[in-house]
């Protein structure tokens, strides 16, 4: 039995960690594989961190939480949604179940016959991604929102400086063109 | 004499069908080729249906309307507008005239020396694409807007469920980041 | 019932035409769809003709042979074999059977559950592709190998001149590097 | 000593020209290389002009201003920000300094160890790009905003007509979907 | 301390396994990460198995050999060699050392400042890849060349049938064109 | 009047330099633009040097030969031959004439209506590319084949070491598979 947790993890936060902990508690024998989606994206407001940085965050947070034996695989996007599940099947070992809250991800895996679960914890997590980035950009504390190891890592890579540079200006938010 | 009708057909609706009928009536000898643009796009709010599904819709609607001998060709996007007409020329048999209401399509074909026509029917059609998707997403009836065969097909592939999952949330409409 | 004939048609020749005729005779109600593969390839020794030129050849040959109602669809390659069948399914209306002699094409469609057929005529045809190109490059007659309409078209687009320019030199055949 | 000025130049305007003049005055021995970014983009509202047209504008404006020995290199985008500086390093001769006002460009070059400068003139220039396009789309005069040679060239290529066709409609500005 | 072993693993064989065992013995604290290169390649003679199948082979062979805590990451090729190391750095957590016998891989990592090792076992392994595929294609036994778990898996996925279909014909080996 | 010289310049050698000198002598007013083709290719046997390195070679050789005012533009390949000329037209300022000895380049530009010239010097040059790489790989002197500045530069970037690593082995030359 293997479950796949699909996310972008920009950044990896407490919601993600709680979800992994919950899956582990419920089915201790289930092998868990974390897919870091949009792995080629970095240095944008929606995807500020490289896949390598996100990999590092996840690894450190899992070690800190003594959650061993979780595999992590960064996956570069394929631009065609209709092929995405088949593409993942061609990259990963066989899996049986998918955890995600993204409606498109859920739709695509269900059409391909996979059972999907969207635990409430991820729902909250989803909201937190952009909120955490916003707090980082404004130099506010995020320690209550991410695992301690991630908070340290974000400081180490000077996330605040990066997010501040990537944040869309007020002006750009109001205009359609990016000119 | 061959005319090319370029569209995305998300979905194929009465406006498109009326246009084909009008061209047929006006110049019965003109061979007509329908280009399904953005063929690689699917499972997004703007492009919910695969090219294969759109091909199926068009085929069924034309059969129902006894409009034979219309060729249908799905065409995957090329990301460079400046090359797009040459790209189409490299994929299709020789053509002489282009039907489209999209201002960019018209601009690019005119620059390449093609006569273009934007019949008023397509203009109305253009507006209908997003309106039909919106009605589908909200579970409303679309029978007055699409040919009967298309209405049946949309039910067959459970379009309402798909559109509801793909519809951007109110929250995302107001924010610039998709985070 | 719809059958799909997959090929590159460089150029379309008598073997291809005979195959289409044979399918038509055997199952007159089967709708036939010809997929022009590697549609983005052109001006190379293996793929000298654009998809548009190949489309034109097929259309003229079918008209000459009074074989109506055969759909033609050029399909741009996707670089991942493992996704190719799903990619085609996303571009075409539903089909039930595949005609091809290429071992990889047959392997991929069988894995996806499609019945495949490799009529002996195509086998011969396969051999003829490169032989016809070779004859064209050397200025020899190909009228016995291609339908009359194709022979005329090849002359019209000055195929001999093009093939002569694209033919790999003796020197390049002996060296690994393209230098 | 070589400096690289990175921009999209949609279109090349007085702010850009003044910047080049200022660099020349300050360090007459510095070789200057102008990188036309997003070179593959054209015929969109944000990037209406092809790289070739932008190259032509820059060349004419520099000749008119007697600013010789400025190299111009159009550079096609790479979709991965994290690799962009390395990608540029692989395309250009060695350079030592970067001029840009774009926060992302500055962030990426600084991380790679390059000194960057954002002269105030470019800041103003940045604002002008979209304003000039907007004026062009509405048929207003832009002679005070671009060098004379560029104004003539814009007329020559009928920029007003193009911009008017590409300008997003009011309706599209208010809706998230482009349908 | 983390070492990265880069290979294509078509298929994973005894040479690969012995190498991992040797690294483990020599530096038991070194974390090991296996990169499955050319992850998008499959169903060709050089790359017959999907990355998912190769992932599965490696996982089973490591479990059978009680070699725990080896991470596996499939990595899709980037077409530009000059950017490849930076691309890997953007996908993986920080690493310190690279194991590979491929001269290009070694060259690129050395230029980027990484220590590289090419243990003799991999050299032998390299030769074995094509030899094992050749034996599979001819229906010969490969049990002495691959770990038992891999031998079973190859049977499970009917590797012989696949390799036989993908093997280039004698004729194609002698001709330059693939016609 | 502007002429474009298209080549890969792996490396830039005396044949190339002589050609530029000859064009300058014959038509002193012709502006010359050197296109470095396959700019994204590097670290392969056929294309060992990055576009940036080739740019540097050309710049140094031209300076040494007092051939001023030759523009250099690296151009990343587009995978579709049928669109290549239009793609170049979209990147470069208007040009009137093309210098190349590559039969495909000549064929494509002629079809697009450009006058092309293949001076005998380039023919010889073409042969020299692979011969120079071969000599470099074997540690032999190339001073008689390349301009002095290029010979120095090749030493500076340790070309011999790189070429030796990239040279295909005897074994690979005899086998079809690269496995």
């Amino acid at each position: 039995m293997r479950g796949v947790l699909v996310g972008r993890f920009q950044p990896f936060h407490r919601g993600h960690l709680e979800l992994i902990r919950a899956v582990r508690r419920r089915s201790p024998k289930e092998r868990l594989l974390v897919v870091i989606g949009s792995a080629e994206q970095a240095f944008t407001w929606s995807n500020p961190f490289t896949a390598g940085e996100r990999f590092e965050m996840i690894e450190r947070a899992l070690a800190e939480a003594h959650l061993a034996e979780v595999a992590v695989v960064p996956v570069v996007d394929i631009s065609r949604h209709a092929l995405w599940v088949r593409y993942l099947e061609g990259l990963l070992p066989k899996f049986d179940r998918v955890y995600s809250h993204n409606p498109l991800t859920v739709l695509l895996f269900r059409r391909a016959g996979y059972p999907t679960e969207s635990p409430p914890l991820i729902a909250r997590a989803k909201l937190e991604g952009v909120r955490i980035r916003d707090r980082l950009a404004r130099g506010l504390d995020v320690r209550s929102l991410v695992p301690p190891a991630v908070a340290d890592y974000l400081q180490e890579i000077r996330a605040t400086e990066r997010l501040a540079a990537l944040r869309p200006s007020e002006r750009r938010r109001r205009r359609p063109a990016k000119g």
Side-chain angles (χ1 to χ4, degrees), chain A:
Chain A
M1 181 65 156
R2 189 185 327 249
V4 165
L5 165 61
V6 179
R8 290 189 297 112
F9 310 109
Q10 294 282 12
F12 185 81
H13 54 58
R14 282 183 193 276
H16 300 128
L17 187 64
E18 285 319 309
L19 167 74
I20 294 173
R21 205 173 255 140
V23 170
R24 265 279 169 281
R25 250 196 312 265
R26 195 194 55 185
S27 47
K29 296 229 166 145
E30 178 172 346
R31 276 177 296 172
L32 206 53
L33 195 153
V34 176
V35 166
I36 302 177
S38 299
E40 80 288 357
Q41 296 283 325
F43 297 100
T44 69
W45 174 243
S46 296
N47 290 292
F49 306 114
T50 69
E53 289 168 337
R54 294 178 262 163
F55 201 139
E56 195 90 47
M57 287 178 208
I58 296 171
E59 220 178 51
R60 293 186 186 192
L62 293 175
E64 186 180 58
H66 305 292
L67 284 160
E69 292 178 44
V70 176
V72 179
V73 174
V75 173
V76 163
D77 272 343
I78 191 174
S79 55
R80 294 155 193 252
H81 290 168
L83 299 178
W84 191 63
V85 171
R86 302 300 172 192
Y87 165 66
L88 268 191
E89 288 175 342
L91 287 182
L92 304 180
K94 224 168 149 306
F95 54 93
D96 314 280
R97 185 153 49 183
V98 175
Y99 302 97
S100 169
H101 191 79
N102 183 281
L104 175 59
T105 302
V106 169
L107 175 72
L108 295 176
F109 276 105
R110 283 210 182 133
R111 283 175 60 89
Y114 286 91
T116 64
E117 293 186 36
S118 310
L121 280 161
I122 306 199
R124 214 192 61 204
K126 188 175 180 303
L127 295 176
E128 280 169 7
V130 68
R131 206 199 310 157
I132 295 171
R133 296 199 298 275
D134 203 73
R135 290 185 67 84
L136 283 168
R138 289 187 285 140
L140 301 176
D141 196 59
V142 299
R143 294 221 160 242
S144 60
L145 303 167
V146 300
V150 171
D152 291 350
Y153 184 71
L154 289 170
Q155 207 151 27
E156 196 181 316
I157 62 171
R158 291 186 298 169
T160 282
E161 188 187 329
R162 190 186 308 180
L163 270 297
L166 298 175
R167 201 181 187 209
S169 65
E170 275 306 315
R171 194 175 145 272
R172 251 164 96 191
R173 293 186 196 190
R174 275 181 288 115
R175 296 193 75 106
K178 64 175 177 166

